[in-house]
Amino acid sequence: MTTVYDKAKYHYENFEYDDLPQKQAYVHTGFFIGWLIEKDMVREDFQKSFENLIADFKQRKMTGPEVYEKTGGVFAKDMLTEEGNQFAMFYFDFETGEYRYHYLEAFDCEPSVYHVEDTWENYDHIKNWIDNEYEYWCEKNE
């Protein structure tokens, strides 16, 4: 059985805000997936299956949340390289990771985590936080 880190469905089925479009459920995880794609931490078979989406992301024609939505909205272990999984377990894991807290702090999420816009500016902002944590993780695991 594959480990599932997150599903957009978990989020949009539990929205507390009636005015939010379903696509907002893809943003927070989609930013992290975009970072993993940018760092080539997705498995080769995932890259081959979604090569056009990945190319569009890398050319900034499509955002990470859009890629996440078009690949089914499931963020799972079988998408990632070994390094990608180790880092995701360390940083993204909802129980033990810091990503959720960094995301909340980075965007001052009012009224909710789901209100952050899917923009390249926002991706670049959280990307810096992820880069810093990745650097820390690499140093810790040398």
Side-chain angles (χ1 to χ4, degrees), residues 32-96:
F32 187 68
I33 291 170
W35 183 90
L36 291 162
I37 290 169
E38 189 172 314
K39 299 296 183 184
D40 294 320
M41 290 190 199
V42 292
R43 285 182 33 178
E44 193 173 320
D45 58 336
F46 182 84
Q47 287 180 32
K48 285 182 181 175
S49 294
F50 301 106
E51 66 183 311
N52 292 337
L53 298 177
I54 289 171
D56 283 350
F57 172 79
K58 288 186 174 186
Q59 295 169 16
R60 292 196 167 213
K61 295 178 182 176
M62 180 178 286
T63 65
E66 290 170 330
V67 172
Y68 181 40
E69 183 175 10
K70 293 202 180 294
T71 58
V74 176
F75 176 36
K77 183 177 182 176
D78 63 0
M79 296 167 58
L80 305 180
T81 63
E82 183 65 31
E83 181 183 24
N85 272 306
Q86 289 176 6
F87 183 61
M89 285 187 280
F90 167 77
Y91 187 53
F92 188 85
D93 182 85
F94 284 152
E95 300 293 318
T96 60

Side-chain angles (χ1 to χ4, degrees), residues 6-28 103 111-116:
D6 198 13
K7 286 185 180 181
K9 182 179 177 179
Y10 295 156
H11 301 282
Y12 63 72
E13 286 183 346
N14 295 303
F15 274 172
E16 295 174 16
Y17 302 93
D18 295 334
D19 61 329
L20 283 177
Q22 184 174 314
K23 71 178 187 153
Q24 288 303 116
Y26 297 88
V27 177
H28 63 286
Y103 190 89
S112 79
V113 67
Y114 306 114
H115 284 79
V116 175

